[in-house]
Amino acid sequence: MHSALIPARYILAGLGSIAMAIIYGLKVNLSVAMVAMLNHSALAHHGASGVAAKEHVNAEPVCQGSNSTEAVEDGPFIWSEPVQGIILSCYFWGYLVSQVPGARVAESFSARWVMFFSVLINVVCTLLTPLAAKMHYVAMIVMRVGEGIGGGVTFPAMHVMLASWAPPNERSVMSAIVYAGTALGTVISMLMAGVLAGTLGWESVFYVMGGLSCLWMVLWLWLVQDTPTKQALISQEERDLITSSLGTGSANGHNEPKPPVPWRKVFTSAPFYGILIAHVCNNWGWYMLLIELPFYMKQVLQFNIKENAVVTAIPFLTMWFFSMALSKTLDALRTRGKITTTIARKTATFIASAVPMVCLLALCYIGCHRGIAVGLMTLGITAIGGMFCGLLSNHIDIAPNYAGTLMAITNSAATLSGIIVPIFVGQITHGNQTIGAWRVIFFVTIGLYIVEIIAYTLLASGEEQPWNKGDKPASSIEAAEAEATPLNTKESKHNYNGQDQ
């Protein structure tokens, strides 16, 4: 039995990480492939503000250096810059609308099947992308919206899975394993898409990456179930370990009807607002460092394209290693009773916000020192990995029954940052690619990081909230607590369970 070699819960975490890598990889591959898909010569000839033409519109950068624009072979499509922008951004339209409904389906029925269909939708849309592109750009928009709908449910669904599978004293590590897949998926996709487009043509980006993702679907259905009690490929010892630590016993949580979401109590909960504010502010910094900082390196510091690709890829790997090490350290300290869950979450979130904040502040004053800029960017992005075992794990702590819904709400709000950041940067730097303009951008981000640190430190908690039991009358809650007294007494002796004493 495979569980003798690798625990079933870590098979779940590993496949969950690959799923997140697939979703993020299939999301960003179009950004790379589009360079090979566009007919840059025609766009420049017709006066359209295409990708190749745009680079020459900007004001003269302040730093001197080689920013050689390599020759790019023309593709078949003459999509204007506004059309390119719509195609790239419409992913978020589907992403925003699917999160809360997807979370409720995952909580009420099956998170396993929600994750499966999430990847399936992305694979189908990816495989159909070359055909859609040749039909009309509107068909491309439909494919991207479909991918967004599938991608939107992944975080909520995985939160539901982790709430059922992760022992509280391993929650940080398992969450970090799963969600760090987003970083690995991004860098692998960027590198793969570039190689495939350059050697086999732009269509191969979608056929190869979509085809390889099909293997995951087979493994997911074979090796993963919604709960340990439904899982056949698991040792009885591991099943007992998980169910006893979570207080689920032999009961199957998914067979019991869960109470409706207590919306009023959720939206009057201080710990929930701590997560919400931190998620929005941290995502702003995430998009700023991962999407906009490479533009700063290219347009202001004058890195050439090859240098920029390498510099952009390295921090994703260091982020992955750092998030694994930090989560393991925090879980070990919690297991030994050295820190509470609340302290662990606040520590990880503080690292994920304070370090990037200091790096951005330093970037404002280093001038044209490219080596220092690369080091600061790498350090800042690496530290952001702390959010995987910080605020992103916190929904499960405060309300495991509604972890998917809470994640859907905060992630929907945080996704708006991904839409606003490019617009904001574009407005500030339009015709003004200078260090001074970027200082304004960086200082706004620094201000949001300060808001995140203050809000999360004051409001966040690692304790399960009373409303996790639903919107029940007080008498019902008291009766339920009375019945659970033996379990609670047992758990209180082991404060490593993740419930702060």
Side-chain angles (χ1 to χ4, degrees):
M1 186 176 293
H2 77 273
S3 58
L5 298 175
I6 305 174
R9 62 191 184 278
Y10 282 98
I11 290 177
L12 162 71
L15 287 174
S17 183
I18 295 171
M20 302 305 290
I22 289 171
I23 295 297
Y24 268 66
L26 298 184
K27 177 171 76 171
V28 304
N29 64 3
L30 180 61
S31 301
V32 180
M34 191 174 281
V35 175
M37 295 169 69
L38 295 173
N39 189 324
H40 302 280
S41 301
L43 286 168
H45 178 71
H46 291 302
S49 52
V51 172
K54 186 177 180 182
E55 293 182 355
H56 303 287
V57 175
N58 296 325
E60 189 70 26
V62 296
C63 297
Q64 299 299 315
S66 62
N67 189 21
S68 59
T69 47
E70 300 170 1
V72 179
E73 186 176 343
D74 283 332
F77 303 110
I78 308 175
W79 293 333
S80 67
E81 191 174 56
V83 170
Q84 296 170 39
I86 291 173
I87 291 173
L88 290 172
S89 65
C90 64
Y91 179 93
F92 291 107
W93 304 348
Y95 194 89
L96 283 171
V97 301
S98 67
Q99 291 197 68
V100 174
R104 294 306 294 147
V105 171
E107 288 170 346
S108 303
F109 299 101
S110 171
R112 169 179 176 253
W113 281 106
V114 170
M115 278 301 300
F116 175 80
F117 282 110
S118 167
V119 175
L120 175 63
I121 291 170
N122 271 267
V123 167
V124 170
C125 290
T126 297
L127 293 174
L128 291 177
T129 291
L131 176 63
K134 292 170 184 175
M135 289 173 60
H136 197 274
Y137 73 81
V138 173
M140 279 289 291
I141 291 173
V142 173
M143 291 299 103
R144 292 295 287 176
V145 171
E147 287 186 43
I149 290 172
V153 303
T154 52
F155 274 93
M158 279 311 307
H159 253 41
V160 175
M161 295 294 291
L162 288 169
S164 299
W165 274 92
N169 64 313
E170 297 177 21
R171 193 171 285 159
S172 297
V173 171
M174 290 183 64
S175 296
I177 291 172
V178 169
Y179 296 127
T182 59
L184 283 179
T186 301
V187 67
I188 291 171
S189 178
M190 289 169 65
L191 297 175
M192 271 187 68
V195 172
L196 288 170
T199 56
L200 299 177
W202 65 268
E203 295 101 328
S204 67
V205 174
F206 305 100
Y207 292 140
V208 173
M209 296 178 71
L212 289 175
S213 302
C214 294
L215 297 174
W216 175 90
M217 293 187 287
V218 176
L219 294 174
W220 181 259
L221 290 183
W222 175 34
L223 298 174
V224 173
Q225 294 292 335
D226 275 304
T227 62
T229 52
K230 287 183 175 180
Q231 178 66 274
L233 300 172
I234 186 175
S235 66
Q236 187 61 44
E237 180 183 7
E238 184 184 3
R239 183 184 288 117
D240 292 342
L241 168 69
I242 298 170
T243 56
S244 62
S245 67
L246 294 174
T248 52
S250 59
N252 189 333
H254 281 275
N255 287 340
E256 300 172 358
K258 290 186 177 179
V261 179
W263 296 109
R264 182 181 60 82
K265 293 179 180 177
V266 169
F267 286 108
T268 54
S269 169
F272 168 74
Y273 278 106
I275 299 172
L276 177 64
I277 295 170
H279 202 164
V280 171
C281 294
N282 200 275
N283 247 37
W284 179 283
W286 166 271
Y287 285 112
M288 188 62 67
L289 268 74
L290 270 62
I291 298 174
E292 299 302 333
L293 198 54
F295 281 105
Y296 173 79
M297 305 287 287
K298 176 182 175 184
Q299 294 168 343
V300 176
L301 299 185
Q302 291 292 281
F303 267 81
N304 69 36
I305 292 172
K306 282 186 177 178
E307 287 174 334
N308 205 33
V310 174
V311 165
T312 304
I314 291 173
F316 288 97
L317 299 177
T318 56
M319 175 200 283
W320 189 85
F321 285 115
F322 174 73
S323 64
M324 293 296 106
L326 180 63
S327 61
K328 190 67 177 175
T329 301
L330 292 175
D331 270 352
L333 291 172
R334 290 168 62 215
T335 301
R336 297 185 186 123
K338 302 293 185 183
I339 61 173
T340 62
T341 303
T342 301
I343 296 299
R345 300 290 178 249
K346 289 183 178 180
T347 300
T349 303
F350 178 80
I351 293 172
S353 49
V355 175
M357 179 182 72
V358 172
C359 291
L360 287 176
L361 183 62
L363 275 171
C364 293
Y365 298 105
I366 63 164
C368 297
H369 294 89
R370 296 186 188 87
I372 299 175
V374 171
L376 289 170
M377 183 182 77
T378 302
L379 178 61
I381 293 177
T382 298
I384 289 180
M387 73 175 176
F388 298 135
C389 58
L391 66 97
L392 285 185
S393 305
N394 203 187
H395 311 75
I396 306 173
D397 301 319
I398 66 171
N401 285 335
Y402 308 109
T405 296
L406 298 188
M407 169 56 90
I409 296 169
T410 67
N411 202 35
S412 295
T415 299
L416 295 176
S417 295
I419 300 172
I420 296 171
V421 163
I423 298 172
F424 170 70
V425 172
Q427 289 295 319
I428 298 293
T429 60
H430 182 64
N432 185 29
Q433 285 292 349
T434 64
I435 288 180
W438 280 91
R439 275 182 187 158
V440 175
I441 294 167
F442 291 159
F443 272 117
V444 169
T445 307
I446 288 168
L448 290 174
Y449 270 134
I450 292 172
V451 170
E452 175 188 356
I453 291 169
I454 294 173
Y456 197 77
T457 301
L458 294 177
L459 301 176
S461 171
E463 297 182 14
E464 181 181 333
Q465 300 301 296
W467 45 266
N468 180 53
K469 300 174 175 66
D471 221 346
K472 297 179 181 178
S475 57
S476 300
I477 294 177
E478 289 171 4
E481 288 176 343
E483 290 178 10
T485 298
L487 178 60
N488 290 339
T489 303
K490 179 181 178 181
E491 286 182 346
S492 68
K493 296 177 182 177
H494 303 278
N495 60 9
Y496 59 79
N497 278 356
Q499 308 298 329
D500 293 334
Q501 304 301 321

